[in-house]
Amino acid sequence: MTTKSFRFSTLGYLALEGVGALHASYTLLLNVTESDDKEGKKLYLSASMLCNAAKAYGSGVIKPWCTVENNIDNKKYVLDSKDSAFALTQNEILIGGTHFTLKASKNIQPVLKIETGYFLNTGHTGSLVPIPKKATHYISLNKFKQV
């Protein structure tokens, strides 16, 4: 069983007073645990986001999201925390987790496509999405051991 941690930073812009380009940027913190078994590879992913756009604006709530797609069967998984989010540290917000199994494939290197973003719910003015509205990252996993 192997666990890897990743940090992906994305520059963003949000046209709100006090936010702009500096505070609309965010960092995705992603943990990937993989273990090999007879069927292929069992994966568990958990994610959180560092973003202080709401704090810079003075009010509102950050609603982060993250999806994962694999290159073996092209299934898409949504990381969620069952419609709840909470702060882990001062500016860190839990996105959630997911788990799935990849079927072993002899000639394909397993790769995960990660898409992430957020929207800022200001309450009185509605929800705003930063520019760009999403970021895409790729993670190469270890090759399948038993094929």
Side-chain angles (χ1 to χ4, degrees):
M1 183 182 302
T2 304
T3 300
K4 297 177 186 175
S5 296
F6 300 91
R7 288 178 70 98
F8 299 111
S9 294
T10 302
L11 297 175
Y13 177 76
L14 201 51
L16 284 174
E17 185 177 346
V19 181
L22 179 63
H23 298 293
S25 301
Y26 59 95
T27 299
L28 175 69
L29 306 172
L30 185 71
N31 294 306
V32 179
T33 301
E34 58 180 288
S35 61
D36 291 298
D37 67 5
K38 303 179 257 192
E39 299 175 21
K41 193 175 287 290
K42 290 187 178 201
L43 296 172
Y44 178 77
L45 289 85
S46 64
S48 61
M49 182 179 285
L50 295 172
C51 182
N52 63 357
K55 184 177 177 183
Y57 181 60
S59 68
V61 177
I62 298 290
K63 297 289 189 174
W65 59 270
C66 184
T67 62
V68 177
E69 185 177 344
N70 70 74
N71 68 331
I72 304 300
D73 58 9
N74 297 316
K75 286 187 180 176
K76 190 178 259 190
Y77 303 91
V78 177
L79 279 72
D80 64 28
S81 59
K82 306 296 184 234
D83 296 325
S84 64
F86 57 90
L88 302 173
T89 63
Q90 185 175 3
N91 295 323
E92 187 176 358
I93 302 140
L94 177 70
I95 298 173
T98 189
H99 57 85
F100 55 93
T101 301
L102 293 178
K103 300 284 184 192
S105 180
K106 187 186 287 189
N107 299 322
I108 300 176
Q109 171 76 33
V111 175
L112 299 178
K113 176 183 175 184
I114 313 294
E115 290 186 334
T116 189
Y118 74 90
F119 62 91
L120 172 61
N121 185 350
T122 62
H124 57 281
T125 59
S127 296
L128 299 166
V129 178
I131 301 170
K133 65 180 180 178
K134 69 177 180 178
T136 304
H137 308 284
Y138 294 89
I139 296 174
S140 294
L141 301 173
N142 296 328
K143 291 184 178 181
F144 293 104
K145 289 189 178 179
Q146 301 174 3
V147 180

